[in-house]
Amino acid sequence: MGPPQGLAAVGRLVDTDTPEAAAKAVAAAIALHGTLGHSELASLFRPKEAGDNRERALLDYLRARVAAAGDDAALTFEYLGACCAAGQVDELERVTRDRSIAYDAVQACTLLREAGGAAGKDPRPLINVCDRHNLFGELATALLARRQLRHLMLYVRSVNRAASAPVCAALLEAGCEAARVAEVVSPLHAPSAPAVLGSMLDAECQADVVASLLEPLDGTHLAQDDSLAASLIEAAAGRNKLPLLKPWLDARKAEGLPPGAPNSEAIEGAIKQIKKWW
């Protein structure tokens, strides 16, 4: 039996439109895709309407192909598209999380950002893609547009604290209010704090927002990072906004600064500079 006859046989099974016939068609397609052609077989399974046996068959066929050829990024993308169309969110979440399965990150991100229905409401697949491939700005703007900042907040707090700086910058650039951005990235990730502070100051955020954002960075954080205070001071001073740090500087001084420590010297110097010039 040549390819035309084989495709015709699979097509007849698909046209029977019963679960049993669809299962036989899928089994034949999986076994013979190398001979009959993947694109030709996939076309036979294209559903005429959502939820029909063809849709289930297409998903089963593509899932089996991806399981056998997880390094085929184009095949994975085809499967992701079919899952989006069918509203198979749990399967989207599984595939995008599985690091043994290859896919084009930008293509997958765009697909999930533009998805409607169930796939457009559940942020887990998009979070998986963006976290795995460092597409933090894309994630932030997508969840802002969907009004899902709470999910973004949970991601930054519980999954990837280091994403707070690019998330902050992207949200501010997209027009999100500084106070809302501060909620998303709080409590502040100390290594990311200078970059976050710089973005907030560039956005002309209010002094009370800066104060509340920096408040958790107490002496414990300073003891863990000798350059933290200097980095924050540089971020503010370089923008001619050092006075906005005064509440935080005063609070750290009130805690007691270890004599001669780099953070202590930086804080004392900044306080003197504020008194001199402002």
Side-chain angles (χ1 to χ4, degrees), residues 165 188-201 214 217 225 227-236 239:
L188 203 54
H189 178 237
S192 303
V196 170
L197 176 63
S199 294
M200 297 293 276
L201 294 178
L214 297 180
L217 298 179
D225 184 352
S227 65
L228 178 57
S231 297
L232 291 171
I233 291 165
E234 181 181 359
R239 295 167 171 81

Side-chain angles (χ1 to χ4, degrees), residues 72-264:
D72 189 331
L75 182 62
T76 303
F77 183 71
E78 185 178 0
Y79 182 44
L80 292 175
C83 288
C84 282
Q88 297 292 311
V89 178
D90 287 341
E91 187 65 0
L92 285 169
E93 195 282 326
R94 181 191 69 81
V95 172
T96 53
R97 174 170 39 84
D98 190 337
R99 293 184 177 273
S100 69
I101 298 177
Y103 54 82
D104 183 288
V106 175
Q107 280 188 332
C109 180
T110 301
L111 173 70
L112 294 168
R113 286 184 64 153
E114 297 176 353
K121 295 177 181 177
D122 192 321
R124 292 177 300 158
L126 181 61
I127 289 173
N128 288 344
V129 171
C130 294
D131 180 64
R132 178 175 167 184
H133 297 281
N134 300 327
L135 300 174
F136 306 123
E138 289 82 349
L139 176 63
T141 53
L143 296 188
L144 174 64
R146 292 183 183 179
R147 299 184 179 182
Q148 292 181 328
L149 287 185
R150 182 167 183 79
H151 291 285
L152 185 61
M153 182 188 305
L154 292 172
Y155 167 72
V156 171
R157 290 182 179 180
S158 305
V159 178
N160 193 346
R161 299 286 305 283
S164 58
V167 163
C168 173
L171 289 177
L172 291 170
E173 186 175 350
C176 187
E177 292 183 0
R180 190 73 177 105
V181 176
E183 291 180 15
V184 171
V185 299
S186 295
L188 203 54
H189 178 237
S192 303
V196 170
L197 176 63
S199 294
M200 297 293 276
L201 294 178
D202 287 341
E204 303 292 341
C205 72
Q206 299 297 314
D208 60 329
V209 175
V210 174
S212 64
L213 188 65
L214 297 180
E215 185 178 4
L217 298 179
D218 56 15
T220 303
H221 293 90
L222 295 179
Q224 296 171 350
D225 184 352
D226 286 341
S227 65
L228 178 57
S231 297
L232 291 171
I233 291 165
E234 181 181 359
R239 295 167 171 81
N240 199 32
K241 295 180 179 180
L242 188 56
L244 292 180
L245 264 61
K246 189 174 187 302
W248 182 79
L249 295 168
D250 290 341
R252 302 292 73 78
K253 183 177 180 180
E255 283 182 331
L257 300 173
N263 279 315
S264 302

